[in-house]
Amino acid sequence: MAAAQSPQASSDGLAQPGSNPCALVLKSTDIIPSSGHGPCFTPPDLTDTTHLVQPLSRTYPSGMLIAPHHHEWGQLLYAQSGLMWVDTPGAALLVPPQRAVWLPPRVTHGIRVVSPLEMRNLYLRAELAMSVGLELEVLEVSKLLRELIIRRVALGNRPDPAMRDALDNLLVLELRELRSAVLKVPMPVGGDRRLRNLCETVLDVPGLAMSFEQHAESVGASTRTLARLFHAELGLTFTEWRRQVQLAHAVAALLEGDSVGAIAARLGYTLSSFSEMFRRSLGIAPSAYKHAMASRGFVR
């Protein structure tokens, strides 16, 4: 995956766990630019190679957008609470608290905050990141990994090398064992802004209420043109692509403990038609999927 050029990230140190550096300076309509300025965006000092792992704690309000950027280090994106879309050049990744995103070094990514977000990130120096994986992944977060992330962020870079090194080694071992999750939605990589705008609208409003014709009119393109762009860039029809968005939303909502009926209604389906769509797509009924995830401790 090609990585866009971005300026050198600046350094402002780490927020203390539980602090909220964004609450007083950001509104839900703000877009944080890729220049990396401001206490809410700036990552740890990644020019400091003293440590193999750098932790970060941030709080973001609903509606926040972080513009596309990349890092020279690998990054584990994890939200202790809240929901976010992670935008990459080729896919949009829906990330509830039971999931994390592994970003290898130099993978361009932006973030859309769907609901108030408590972010707990870990940056891995390039040589360590390479041992975790070279592919962008959405990962199931085990109970062990969740506690390791929270403990490592809370520890920060305080001078306790024995504890820090032990946590870092265990984190890497656990990351290598995690399974991929089904919350990835392909996104257009071409330059047609109309297609990109339509896709971004559906990510925010995935229900059936707005037809393909209405979407086409809103972006100023004919349905024929958009159908051709969907096939050329994504290899899918609009209906097939939107179904993947709906499945990502549905899986995230099931993991949050929402009822199947409530999810179906939000997406514009009857209960029976939603259950059939889910089963045909994922090979399991939504109620059975929720039960299976709950038995593994993944449902709130």
Side-chain angles (χ1 to χ4, degrees), residues 122 145 148-149 152 166-175:
L122 295 171
L145 181 62
L148 286 170
I149 293 170
R152 184 63 182 87
L167 288 174
D168 291 348
N169 289 333
L170 189 52
L171 273 163
V172 170
L173 289 173
E174 183 68 3
L175 282 172

Side-chain angles (χ1 to χ4, degrees), residues 216-233:
E217 183 178 356
S218 72
V219 299
S222 69
T223 54
R224 177 175 293 184
T225 296
L226 285 172
R228 176 178 54 79
L229 288 170
F230 264 101
H231 184 266
E233 293 211 27

